[in-house]
Amino acid sequence: MTDSQHVKVGAWLGLMLTALFLAANSIVRAALGVPLLAAVFFDWLARTLPGDVVTFGIDRLIDVVRLLSIDSTDRTAKMLERLVGLVLILLMGTALGAIYGKLRILQQRRGIMAAFFPLVFSLGLAAWADWGDESPVGSILWYGLAWGAWGALLANSLRHAETLGQPGEGTSTDSEGRITITGPIMTRRMFLTQTSTRLIGGTVLLGAGGWALRGLLANNPFAGVALAEAGTPDILRGDMDDGFEPAPGTRLEVTPTPEFYTIDINLFPPNVDAAAWELQVKGLVSTPLKFTYEEIRAIEAVAQYATLACISNPVGGDLIGNTMWTGVRLKRILDMAGLKPEAEEVRFYSEDGYYEVLPVADALREETLLCYGMNGETLQVKHGFPLRLYTPGRFGMKNPKWIHTIELIRKEEKGGYWHRRGWDREAYFKMTTIIDPVEAKVQNGTLTFGGIAFSGEKGISRVEVRLDGGAWTEAVLRDPLSPYTWVQWKAALPYADDGDSHTLTARSYDLDGTPQIAAEAGTRPSGATGYHQREVEI
């Protein structure tokens, strides 16, 4: 084969073998908890690149998600992140295969040295990753064996490809050097077709096996089960009739747990073993403490309704949810540990490598909870099992999940994970008003529609709506479930059923009379602002 053919064959074999490697990785991840290389690589990029680059990528990802409208923003974003990670690894495998083909791997010293690159690369990522693996040695062993097999298979396939169409089996050579065909000769096309068929078949089987095994093993017997202890908020809509009937299309007042948004820094959430988990309280405290999961659950339970939203949620986005949180007051835990006078901030460490800080004054508020339940069940794995934080008035970035350590510290300027990447340190919520999809029909020249409004812990006093830039009309508000939740609202406006497209706009005021910010701003660094608009054609 020519050099060009060696490169093409090497690239194709590199792609096929890398796909097989990733499929095998899915089985080993499901069975042994070994990190998926594509996911770890994507996480490494997100944590290593400059904050502006990461933020730009997040913003563009959200733009793509909203454009596609395939599913909710969080689920579609995760799907795209995984796809990006897989594509990057496949491209690297393809490039390495092409290089190995060019170098005639194992025929030159530089080819042998090049074979070490993927091994060192993956071992470095495995050592860097903090996935709470029970056996990091197992991960390193897996990567070593897998990449060794990858290199050996590639080298063997390339050596076999060297003989394609040459005298050998299926041919004979006479004394004058003339070749006589005595049987079939393996051509390059036949070789690639047969090799690709085997590798693709193996990839599909291994990938399906990993998917099935992950489904069998991912269940956590302590996550997402009904809570037995008491602790209920003051208002339960099921026990009263407030006379408010939401407009058709308005979202539920309490978000079902499966639909509650999830945004975090990893492609896969850590699946924590509650029996082995401990909450450690350390730092500037008089008595360092450790709590098991059962010990946390044994402390007096508190439940309260509260809304949470992501700082990267655009105006009118769906990265917002309302639920009933159940847990223990963080103040109770800190009082047991005894704060030293010099303690100014509380730092939280999570199982996925995330970290965040909160002023001591906020941590000592009665409403700040260490939550182990939502909507009457223990937390699901993706929502932070076994323990997460809820603190009033702040975006989700200040409410870490999968907490394992609480440390009391002096104030330091580095802040939390996202603050170090250019986001606002305090992350106070910005008032928002969302018009939900309009499902009502025009009746007697009137269109009825609704939505939600939220202002952190500042409450909502008034919602106003208008049609096509006309006069503002006040909407009807429902009483909030708590001072920390969104409010549902409903409005009716004169509407001409003319078949044309019209624009609805909404805005709010908080309990102090402060109006919602009208100026449009993106999510970075402090959260999006502006009025939500929805086009309707009825």
Side-chain angles (χ1 to χ4, degrees):
M1 290 194 300
T2 65
D3 283 349
S4 175
Q5 289 174 329
H6 274 291
V7 170
K8 291 178 181 178
V9 171
W12 182 249
L13 290 173
L15 173 63
M16 293 291 100
L17 285 168
T18 303
L20 184 67
F21 163 83
L22 292 172
N25 200 174
S26 69
I27 284 187
V28 180
R29 176 185 179 271
L32 304 176
V34 170
L36 188 65
L37 183 64
V40 180
F41 181 50
F42 186 91
D43 294 339
W44 176 78
L45 286 176
R47 300 185 192 201
T48 305
L49 293 174
D52 289 344
V53 176
V54 176
T55 300
F56 177 82
I58 291 174
D59 290 342
R60 300 294 74 78
L61 188 63
I62 290 177
D63 290 342
V64 171
V65 168
R66 300 189 78 187
L67 179 65
L68 294 176
S69 298
I70 299 173
D71 199 348
S72 64
T73 301
D74 57 341
R75 287 191 287 270
T76 308
K78 285 295 181 187
M79 177 189 71
L80 291 177
E81 287 175 1
R82 293 169 189 170
L83 181 61
V84 169
L86 287 171
V87 169
L88 289 174
I89 295 296
L90 288 172
L91 288 176
M92 290 177 64
T94 303
L96 284 171
I99 293 171
Y100 292 174
K102 177 69 175 177
L103 295 176
R104 311 290 175 86
I105 188 169
L106 298 183
Q107 295 180 11
Q108 303 180 37
R109 288 185 179 181
R110 57 182 176 174
I112 297 174
M113 294 301 294
F116 286 101
F117 173 77
L119 176 61
V120 173
F121 169 75
S122 56
L123 289 182
L125 285 179
W128 166 86
D130 182 13
W131 286 44
D133 289 344
E134 294 182 4
S135 176
V137 175
S139 298
I140 294 174
L141 252 151
W142 148 251
Y143 280 126
L145 291 173
W147 277 119
W150 185 91
L153 285 171
L154 180 60
N156 182 68
S157 299
L158 287 173
R159 282 199 301 270
H160 184 52
E162 288 274 5
T163 64
L164 297 181
Q166 296 182 3
E169 184 180 353
T171 65
S172 64
T173 305
D174 60 21
S175 58
E176 297 182 4
R178 289 175 298 189
I179 300 173
T180 303
I181 299 176
T182 60
I185 295 178
M186 176 73 77
T187 66
R188 183 161 58 92
R189 177 175 294 180
M190 292 168 60
F191 169 76
L192 290 176
T193 300
Q194 290 187 13
T195 304
S196 299
T197 300
R198 295 188 185 105
L199 292 176
I200 291 173
T203 300
V204 171
L205 288 175
L206 288 174
W211 178 80
L213 188 60
R214 186 165 63 248
L216 290 173
L217 300 179
N219 294 324
N220 190 313
F222 296 97
V225 299
L227 288 169
E229 61 263 25
T232 56
D234 294 333
I235 301 176
L236 291 172
R237 292 293 187 201
D239 298 335
M240 59 181 294
D241 181 9
D242 62 355
F244 184 93
E245 183 178 349
T250 303
R251 71 192 67 194
L252 296 174
E253 190 172 26
V254 177
T255 308
T257 302
E259 298 175 16
F260 201 97
Y261 83 94
T262 55
I263 295 291
D264 44 80
I265 62 174
N266 289 297
L267 294 182
F268 298 100
N271 195 356
V272 180
D273 180 4
W277 174 86
E278 283 187 332
L279 174 66
Q280 183 179 8
V281 184
K282 64 179 186 178
L284 299 176
V285 295
S286 301
T287 308
L289 300 173
K290 288 185 178 180
F291 297 88
T292 66
Y293 183 62
E294 292 303 323
E295 287 171 340
I296 285 289
R297 292 279 301 271
I299 299 173
E300 180 184 2
V302 178
Q304 65 186 28
Y305 285 110
T307 298
L308 203 61
C310 182
I311 197 170
S312 60
N313 193 35
V315 172
D318 59 359
L319 300 178
I320 184 171
N322 190 46
T323 189
M324 183 182 75
W325 302 105
T326 302
V328 301
R329 289 189 172 92
L330 176 57
K331 181 180 185 301
R332 177 82 175 266
I333 301 297
L334 298 182
D335 286 344
M336 293 170 67
L339 301 186
K340 292 185 177 180
E342 58 267 33
E344 298 177 274
E345 289 188 329
V346 185
R347 181 178 289 279
F348 303 88
Y349 298 90
S350 300
E351 296 281 354
D352 65 340
Y354 189 76
Y355 51 89
E356 190 50 81
V357 295
L358 195 66
V360 164
D362 282 28
L364 294 177
R365 292 184 55 175
E366 295 290 324
E367 304 86 0
T368 302
L369 302 182
L370 289 173
C371 304
Y372 51 76
M374 58 190 299
N375 283 342
E377 295 179 338
T378 58
L379 293 171
Q380 294 183 358
V381 169
K382 66 178 182 178
H383 289 305
F385 180 86
L387 200 67
R388 66 176 295 167
L389 182 71
Y390 166 73
T391 184
R394 311 229 186 186
F395 280 113
M397 61 178 275
K398 304 295 287 189
N399 296 265
K401 297 178 279 191
W402 307 293
I403 297 171
H404 64 76
T405 300
I406 298 173
E407 183 180 16
L408 278 296
I409 61 173
R410 299 179 186 272
K411 185 172 183 179
E412 46 93 272
E413 296 304 319
K414 293 182 179 179
Y417 179 91
W418 285 116
H419 176 62
R420 297 190 185 195
R421 288 157 175 79
W423 292 80
D424 185 60
R425 179 186 176 97
E426 305 303 330
Y428 285 110
F429 193 85
K430 301 291 179 64
M431 194 184 325
T432 188
T433 314
I434 300 177
I435 305 170
D436 283 332
V438 179
E439 295 183 2
K441 302 298 182 182
V442 177
Q443 294 184 346
N444 300 321
T446 299
L447 176 65
T448 301
F449 59 101
I452 56 107
F454 182 55
S455 187
E457 58 178 330
K458 297 179 180 179
I460 297 293
S461 65
R462 188 163 85 253
V463 171
E464 294 178 335
V465 297
R466 67 180 179 184
L467 180 68
D468 294 333
W472 291 101
T473 299
E474 189 168 350
V476 177
L477 303 184
R478 189 177 200 175
D479 289 336
L481 285 169
S482 85
Y484 314 105
T485 68
W486 65 35
V487 297
Q488 290 181 317
W489 56 266
K490 179 172 62 175
L493 290 177
Y495 188 94
D497 190 3
D498 52 14
D500 291 337
S501 177
H502 297 275
T503 302
L504 299 172
T505 308
R507 68 182 183 188
S508 296
Y509 298 79
D510 67 18
L511 294 178
D512 293 332
T514 302
Q516 180 178 335
I517 298 173
E520 294 184 1
T523 57
R524 181 181 171 89
S526 304
T529 60
Y531 296 161
H532 184 217
Q533 295 184 328
R534 184 176 290 277
E535 299 292 324
V536 292
E537 184 175 344
I538 299 177

